Amino acid sequence: MQYLVNVIDNRSESGTEEEAVAIDAFNDRLRAGGHWVFAAGLADPAVSTVIDGRGEEPVFTDGPFVETKEWAAGFWIIEAPDLDVALSLMADGSKACNRRLEVRPLLVA
């Protein structure tokens, strides 16, 4: 089973050097355990573009799709046999990045 893990933050590029070292070590543990799929940080939502292609012509809107105090600042995609394992792993991930995390199963067709 794969899980999307959103890193929740309210500041852009707020990571410290200590957090970067802890995240790298955590990522190494994910790789060693066979749980690593992919991870990345995300740019500030202010530089995003929302596309609505449901009409005859697509509509492009600058900025985030919702106004909010917090947003996904990065993410992991991990492999875990079940939700309990994913949650246990990402409890350590939350500690490493010093942020709250949202864990969601990926729906695979």
Side-chain angles (χ1 to χ4, degrees):
M1 185 86 183
Q2 292 186 334
Y3 296 86
L4 169 67
V5 181
N6 286 310
V7 178
I8 302 166
D9 204 345
N10 63 352
R11 301 160 292 155
S12 295
E13 299 179 31
S14 63
T16 67
E17 195 63 39
E18 289 174 337
E19 290 166 346
V21 169
I23 292 166
D24 286 344
F26 177 71
N27 288 342
D28 288 344
R29 286 183 39 221
L30 287 176
R31 287 182 187 96
H35 302 289
W36 175 268
V37 176
F38 185 78
L42 296 170
D44 187 281
V47 299
S48 67
T49 303
V50 176
I51 304 167
D52 186 349
R54 296 175 292 176
E56 294 207 14
E57 294 292 323
V59 175
F60 299 87
T61 307
D62 292 337
F65 74 99
V66 295
E67 294 296 326
T68 182
K69 294 179 182 180
E70 296 179 314
W71 54 84
F75 65 93
W76 279 278
I77 297 176
I78 64 165
E79 291 264 358
D82 57 47
L83 181 59
D84 289 338
V85 172
L87 295 176
S88 178
L89 286 167
M90 297 320 295
D92 291 339
S94 176
K95 187 173 187 78
C97 71
N98 196 30
R99 309 277 184 297
R100 293 184 311 126
L101 303 178
E102 175 196 36
V103 177
R104 295 173 66 182
L106 290 178
L107 303 176
V108 181

